[in-house]
Short mmCIF file of all heavy atoms in Angstrom, two decimals:
data_model
loop_
_atom_site.label_atom_id
_atom_site.label_comp_id
_atom_site.label_asym_id
_atom_site.label_seq_id
_atom_site.Cartn_x
_atom_site.Cartn_y
_atom_site.Cartn_z
N GLU A 1118 60.85 -209.89 58.33
CA GLU A 1118 59.96 -209.38 57.30
C GLU A 1118 60.76 -208.85 56.11
O GLU A 1118 60.37 -209.05 54.95
CB GLU A 1118 59.09 -208.26 57.89
CG GLU A 1118 58.27 -207.48 56.88
CD GLU A 1118 57.22 -208.32 56.18
OE1 GLU A 1118 56.92 -209.42 56.67
OE2 GLU A 1118 56.71 -207.87 55.13
N HIS A 1119 61.88 -208.20 56.37
CA HIS A 1119 62.71 -207.65 55.29
C HIS A 1119 63.30 -208.79 54.46
O HIS A 1119 63.33 -208.71 53.22
CB HIS A 1119 63.81 -206.79 55.88
CG HIS A 1119 64.17 -205.62 55.04
ND1 HIS A 1119 63.31 -204.59 54.76
CD2 HIS A 1119 65.32 -205.31 54.37
CE1 HIS A 1119 63.90 -203.69 53.99
NE2 HIS A 1119 65.12 -204.11 53.73
N ALA A 1120 63.76 -209.83 55.13
CA ALA A 1120 64.31 -210.99 54.41
C ALA A 1120 63.21 -211.70 53.62
O ALA A 1120 63.44 -212.16 52.49
CB ALA A 1120 64.98 -211.94 55.39
N TYR A 1121 62.01 -211.80 54.20
CA TYR A 1121 60.89 -212.45 53.52
C TYR A 1121 60.48 -211.67 52.27
O TYR A 1121 60.07 -212.25 51.27
CB TYR A 1121 59.72 -212.55 54.49
CG TYR A 1121 58.50 -213.27 53.95
CD1 TYR A 1121 58.46 -214.66 53.92
CD2 TYR A 1121 57.39 -212.56 53.49
CE1 TYR A 1121 57.35 -215.32 53.43
CE2 TYR A 1121 56.28 -213.22 53.00
CZ TYR A 1121 56.26 -214.59 52.97
OH TYR A 1121 55.16 -215.25 52.48
N HIS A 1122 60.63 -210.36 52.32
CA HIS A 1122 60.27 -209.52 51.17
C HIS A 1122 61.20 -209.77 49.99
O HIS A 1122 60.75 -209.79 48.83
CB HIS A 1122 60.31 -208.05 51.59
CG HIS A 1122 60.04 -207.09 50.49
ND1 HIS A 1122 58.79 -206.92 49.92
CD2 HIS A 1122 60.87 -206.24 49.80
CE1 HIS A 1122 58.85 -206.03 48.97
NE2 HIS A 1122 60.10 -205.59 48.87
N PHE A 1123 62.49 -209.96 50.24
CA PHE A 1123 63.47 -210.16 49.16
C PHE A 1123 63.64 -211.63 48.78
O PHE A 1123 64.28 -211.91 47.77
CB PHE A 1123 64.83 -209.60 49.58
CG PHE A 1123 64.88 -208.10 49.63
CD1 PHE A 1123 64.92 -207.43 50.85
CD2 PHE A 1123 64.86 -207.34 48.48
CE1 PHE A 1123 64.95 -206.05 50.90
CE2 PHE A 1123 64.89 -205.96 48.52
CZ PHE A 1123 64.94 -205.31 49.74
N ALA A 1124 63.10 -212.55 49.55
CA ALA A 1124 63.32 -213.97 49.30
C ALA A 1124 62.53 -214.45 48.09
O ALA A 1124 61.47 -213.90 47.76
CB ALA A 1124 62.94 -214.78 50.53
N ASN A 1125 63.03 -215.51 47.44
CA ASN A 1125 62.28 -216.15 46.36
C ASN A 1125 61.28 -217.13 46.94
O ASN A 1125 61.15 -217.26 48.17
CB ASN A 1125 63.24 -216.82 45.37
CG ASN A 1125 64.17 -217.82 46.04
OD1 ASN A 1125 63.79 -218.46 47.02
ND2 ASN A 1125 65.38 -217.96 45.53
N ALA A 1126 60.58 -217.85 46.08
CA ALA A 1126 59.50 -218.74 46.54
C ALA A 1126 60.02 -219.83 47.46
O ALA A 1126 59.41 -220.13 48.50
CB ALA A 1126 58.78 -219.35 45.33
N ALA A 1127 61.15 -220.44 47.10
CA ALA A 1127 61.70 -221.53 47.92
C ALA A 1127 62.15 -221.01 49.29
O ALA A 1127 61.94 -221.66 50.32
CB ALA A 1127 62.85 -222.20 47.19
N GLN A 1128 62.79 -219.84 49.30
CA GLN A 1128 63.25 -219.27 50.57
C GLN A 1128 62.09 -218.83 51.45
O GLN A 1128 62.13 -218.99 52.68
CB GLN A 1128 64.18 -218.09 50.28
CG GLN A 1128 65.50 -218.50 49.65
CD GLN A 1128 66.29 -217.32 49.11
OE1 GLN A 1128 65.74 -216.23 48.90
NE2 GLN A 1128 67.57 -217.52 48.86
N LYS A 1129 61.04 -218.30 50.84
CA LYS A 1129 59.85 -217.95 51.63
C LYS A 1129 59.23 -219.19 52.25
O LYS A 1129 58.80 -219.17 53.42
CB LYS A 1129 58.82 -217.26 50.72
CG LYS A 1129 59.17 -215.83 50.36
CD LYS A 1129 58.09 -215.20 49.52
CE LYS A 1129 58.43 -213.74 49.19
NZ LYS A 1129 57.41 -213.09 48.36
N GLN A 1130 59.19 -220.27 51.49
CA GLN A 1130 58.62 -221.50 52.02
C GLN A 1130 59.46 -222.04 53.17
O GLN A 1130 58.93 -222.58 54.14
CB GLN A 1130 58.52 -222.54 50.90
CG GLN A 1130 57.73 -223.77 51.29
CD GLN A 1130 57.43 -224.63 50.09
OE1 GLN A 1130 57.60 -224.21 48.96
NE2 GLN A 1130 56.99 -225.84 50.32
N THR A 1131 60.79 -221.88 53.09
CA THR A 1131 61.67 -222.31 54.17
C THR A 1131 61.37 -221.54 55.46
O THR A 1131 61.33 -222.13 56.56
CB THR A 1131 63.14 -222.10 53.77
OG1 THR A 1131 63.40 -222.83 52.57
CG2 THR A 1131 64.06 -222.58 54.86
N LEU A 1132 61.18 -220.24 55.34
CA LEU A 1132 60.86 -219.44 56.53
C LEU A 1132 59.49 -219.80 57.10
O LEU A 1132 59.32 -219.84 58.33
CB LEU A 1132 60.90 -217.95 56.16
CG LEU A 1132 62.26 -217.36 55.77
CD1 LEU A 1132 62.10 -215.94 55.25
CD2 LEU A 1132 63.22 -217.39 56.94
N LEU A 1133 58.53 -220.08 56.23
CA LEU A 1133 57.18 -220.39 56.71
C LEU A 1133 57.09 -221.77 57.34
O LEU A 1133 56.38 -221.96 58.33
CB LEU A 1133 56.19 -220.29 55.54
CG LEU A 1133 55.90 -218.89 54.99
CD1 LEU A 1133 55.09 -218.97 53.72
CD2 LEU A 1133 55.19 -218.04 56.02
N GLN A 1134 57.81 -222.74 56.79
CA GLN A 1134 57.74 -224.11 57.31
C GLN A 1134 58.21 -224.19 58.75
O GLN A 1134 57.76 -225.04 59.51
CB GLN A 1134 58.57 -225.04 56.43
CG GLN A 1134 57.92 -225.37 55.09
CD GLN A 1134 58.82 -226.20 54.21
OE1 GLN A 1134 59.88 -226.65 54.63
NE2 GLN A 1134 58.39 -226.42 52.98
N GLU A 1135 59.12 -223.31 59.11
CA GLU A 1135 59.59 -223.30 60.49
C GLU A 1135 58.49 -222.91 61.47
O GLU A 1135 58.54 -223.24 62.65
CB GLU A 1135 60.78 -222.35 60.61
CG GLU A 1135 61.52 -222.46 61.92
CD GLU A 1135 62.82 -221.70 61.90
OE1 GLU A 1135 63.43 -221.60 60.82
OE2 GLU A 1135 63.23 -221.22 62.97
N LEU A 1136 57.49 -222.18 60.97
CA LEU A 1136 56.38 -221.74 61.80
C LEU A 1136 55.22 -222.73 61.77
O LEU A 1136 54.31 -222.63 62.60
CB LEU A 1136 55.88 -220.37 61.34
CG LEU A 1136 56.94 -219.26 61.27
CD1 LEU A 1136 56.35 -218.02 60.65
CD2 LEU A 1136 57.48 -218.96 62.65
N TYR A 1137 55.24 -223.64 60.82
CA TYR A 1137 54.13 -224.59 60.69
C TYR A 1137 54.25 -225.74 61.69
O TYR A 1137 53.30 -226.04 62.41
CB TYR A 1137 54.10 -225.16 59.27
CG TYR A 1137 53.68 -224.17 58.20
CD1 TYR A 1137 53.98 -224.39 56.86
CD2 TYR A 1137 52.99 -223.00 58.53
CE1 TYR A 1137 53.62 -223.49 55.88
CE2 TYR A 1137 52.63 -222.09 57.56
CZ TYR A 1137 52.94 -222.34 56.23
OH TYR A 1137 52.57 -221.44 55.26
N SER A 1138 55.39 -226.41 61.69
CA SER A 1138 55.53 -227.61 62.50
C SER A 1138 57.00 -227.93 62.69
O SER A 1138 57.85 -227.56 61.87
CB SER A 1138 54.82 -228.80 61.83
OG SER A 1138 55.05 -229.99 62.54
N LEU A 1139 57.30 -228.63 63.79
CA LEU A 1139 58.67 -229.06 64.04
C LEU A 1139 59.10 -230.14 63.06
O LEU A 1139 60.27 -230.23 62.69
CB LEU A 1139 58.81 -229.58 65.47
CG LEU A 1139 58.58 -228.55 66.59
CD1 LEU A 1139 58.60 -229.23 67.94
CD2 LEU A 1139 59.64 -227.46 66.53
N GLU A 1140 58.14 -230.97 62.64
CA GLU A 1140 58.48 -232.03 61.68
C GLU A 1140 58.93 -231.46 60.34
O GLU A 1140 59.81 -232.00 59.68
CB GLU A 1140 57.27 -232.96 61.46
CG GLU A 1140 56.91 -233.80 62.67
CD GLU A 1140 55.97 -233.09 63.61
OE1 GLU A 1140 55.84 -231.85 63.48
OE2 GLU A 1140 55.37 -233.75 64.48
N LEU A 1141 58.32 -230.34 59.95
CA LEU A 1141 58.68 -229.75 58.66
C LEU A 1141 60.09 -229.17 58.67
O LEU A 1141 60.72 -229.04 57.63
CB LEU A 1141 57.68 -228.66 58.30
CG LEU A 1141 56.26 -229.14 57.97
CD1 LEU A 1141 55.34 -227.96 57.72
CD2 LEU A 1141 56.28 -230.05 56.77
N GLN A 1142 60.60 -228.81 59.85
CA GLN A 1142 61.98 -228.36 59.93
C GLN A 1142 62.95 -229.50 59.66
O GLN A 1142 64.04 -229.29 59.11
CB GLN A 1142 62.25 -227.76 61.31
CG GLN A 1142 61.43 -226.54 61.62
CD GLN A 1142 61.77 -225.95 62.98
OE1 GLN A 1142 62.90 -226.04 63.44
NE2 GLN A 1142 60.79 -225.34 63.62
N LEU A 1143 62.54 -230.72 60.02
CA LEU A 1143 63.40 -231.88 59.80
C LEU A 1143 63.29 -232.42 58.39
O LEU A 1143 64.27 -232.88 57.82
CB LEU A 1143 63.05 -232.98 60.82
CG LEU A 1143 63.18 -232.58 62.30
CD1 LEU A 1143 62.67 -233.72 63.18
CD2 LEU A 1143 64.62 -232.25 62.64
N PHE A 1144 62.05 -232.38 57.84
CA PHE A 1144 61.82 -232.97 56.51
C PHE A 1144 61.52 -231.89 55.47
O PHE A 1144 60.69 -232.08 54.60
CB PHE A 1144 60.64 -233.95 56.58
CG PHE A 1144 60.82 -235.02 57.62
CD1 PHE A 1144 60.10 -235.00 58.79
CD2 PHE A 1144 61.72 -236.04 57.42
CE1 PHE A 1144 60.26 -235.98 59.75
CE2 PHE A 1144 61.89 -237.03 58.37
CZ PHE A 1144 61.16 -237.00 59.54
N LYS A 1145 62.20 -230.76 55.58
CA LYS A 1145 61.91 -229.66 54.65
C LYS A 1145 62.34 -230.00 53.23
O LYS A 1145 61.79 -229.48 52.26
CB LYS A 1145 62.60 -228.39 55.11
CG LYS A 1145 64.12 -228.46 55.10
CD LYS A 1145 64.70 -227.10 55.43
CE LYS A 1145 66.23 -227.12 55.27
NZ LYS A 1145 66.81 -225.80 55.50
N ASP A 1146 63.33 -230.89 53.06
CA ASP A 1146 63.80 -231.24 51.72
C ASP A 1146 62.78 -232.10 50.97
O ASP A 1146 62.88 -232.23 49.74
CB ASP A 1146 65.13 -231.98 51.80
CG ASP A 1146 66.23 -231.10 52.39
OD1 ASP A 1146 66.14 -229.87 52.22
OD2 ASP A 1146 67.16 -231.64 53.03
N LEU A 1147 61.81 -232.68 51.68
CA LEU A 1147 60.83 -233.53 51.03
C LEU A 1147 59.68 -232.73 50.42
O LEU A 1147 58.85 -233.28 49.70
CB LEU A 1147 60.26 -234.53 52.04
CG LEU A 1147 61.27 -235.51 52.67
CD1 LEU A 1147 60.58 -236.39 53.68
CD2 LEU A 1147 61.96 -236.35 51.60
N VAL A 1148 59.64 -231.45 50.72
CA VAL A 1148 58.56 -230.60 50.24
C VAL A 1148 59.09 -229.74 49.10
O VAL A 1148 60.14 -229.10 49.22
CB VAL A 1148 58.02 -229.69 51.36
CG1 VAL A 1148 56.89 -228.82 50.84
CG2 VAL A 1148 57.55 -230.54 52.54
N SER A 1149 58.38 -229.72 47.99
CA SER A 1149 58.78 -228.91 46.85
C SER A 1149 58.04 -227.58 46.87
O SER A 1149 57.13 -227.36 47.68
CB SER A 1149 58.48 -229.65 45.53
OG SER A 1149 57.09 -229.88 45.41
N VAL A 1150 58.44 -226.69 45.96
CA VAL A 1150 57.82 -225.37 45.90
C VAL A 1150 56.37 -225.46 45.45
O VAL A 1150 55.55 -224.60 45.77
CB VAL A 1150 58.63 -224.47 44.94
CG1 VAL A 1150 58.05 -223.07 44.89
CG2 VAL A 1150 60.10 -224.43 45.37
N LYS A 1151 56.01 -226.52 44.72
CA LYS A 1151 54.64 -226.66 44.23
C LYS A 1151 53.65 -226.80 45.38
O LYS A 1151 52.52 -226.36 45.28
CB LYS A 1151 54.55 -227.87 43.31
CG LYS A 1151 55.37 -227.73 42.03
CD LYS A 1151 55.24 -228.96 41.15
CE LYS A 1151 56.05 -228.82 39.87
NZ LYS A 1151 55.95 -230.03 39.02
N GLU A 1152 54.09 -227.46 46.47
CA GLU A 1152 53.20 -227.61 47.63
C GLU A 1152 53.31 -226.37 48.51
O GLU A 1152 53.89 -226.40 49.60
CB GLU A 1152 53.53 -228.86 48.43
CG GLU A 1152 53.18 -230.16 47.74
CD GLU A 1152 54.32 -230.66 46.86
OE1 GLU A 1152 55.44 -230.15 47.01
OE2 GLU A 1152 54.09 -231.53 46.01
N SER A 1153 52.80 -225.27 48.05
CA SER A 1153 52.90 -224.03 48.81
C SER A 1153 51.85 -223.94 49.90
O SER A 1153 52.06 -223.27 50.92
CB SER A 1153 52.78 -222.83 47.87
OG SER A 1153 51.54 -222.86 47.19
N ARG A 1154 50.72 -224.59 49.73
CA ARG A 1154 49.65 -224.55 50.72
C ARG A 1154 49.93 -225.55 51.83
O ARG A 1154 50.44 -226.64 51.60
CB ARG A 1154 48.31 -224.86 50.07
CG ARG A 1154 47.88 -223.83 49.04
CD ARG A 1154 46.64 -224.29 48.32
NE ARG A 1154 45.53 -224.48 49.23
CZ ARG A 1154 44.49 -225.26 48.99
NH1 ARG A 1154 44.43 -225.96 47.87
NH2 ARG A 1154 43.52 -225.35 49.86
N LEU A 1155 49.58 -225.16 53.05
CA LEU A 1155 49.83 -226.02 54.20
C LEU A 1155 49.03 -227.30 54.12
O LEU A 1155 49.51 -228.37 54.52
CB LEU A 1155 49.48 -225.25 55.49
CG LEU A 1155 49.67 -226.00 56.80
CD1 LEU A 1155 51.10 -226.49 56.95
CD2 LEU A 1155 49.28 -225.12 57.98
N VAL A 1156 47.82 -227.24 53.59
CA VAL A 1156 46.99 -228.44 53.47
C VAL A 1156 47.64 -229.46 52.55
O VAL A 1156 47.63 -230.66 52.82
CB VAL A 1156 45.58 -228.05 52.96
CG1 VAL A 1156 44.71 -229.28 52.79
CG2 VAL A 1156 44.91 -227.07 53.91
N ASP A 1157 48.25 -228.99 51.45
CA ASP A 1157 48.93 -229.90 50.53
C ASP A 1157 50.16 -230.53 51.17
O ASP A 1157 50.47 -231.70 50.95
CB ASP A 1157 49.33 -229.15 49.26
CG ASP A 1157 48.13 -228.61 48.51
OD1 ASP A 1157 47.03 -229.19 48.66
OD2 ASP A 1157 48.28 -227.60 47.78
#
Side-chain angles (χ1 to χ4, degrees):
E1118 171 65 16
H1119 214 65
Y1121 183 79
H1122 177 71
F1123 289 107
N1125 56 33
Q1128 292 168 342
K1129 286 182 178 180
Q1130 190 169 347
T1131 302
L1132 294 172
L1133 290 171
Q1134 285 176 7
E1135 191 169 329
L1136 305 174
Y1137 290 160
S1138 175
L1139 295 174
E1140 292 87 344
L1141 292 176
Q1142 298 182 30
L1143 301 175
F1144 304 107
K1145 64 174 186 176
D1146 297 331
L1147 299 178
V1148 181
S1149 62
V1150 182
K1151 295 180 180 179
E1152 290 88 15
S1153 59
R1154 296 173 60 203
L1155 180 57
V1156 178
D1157 298 334

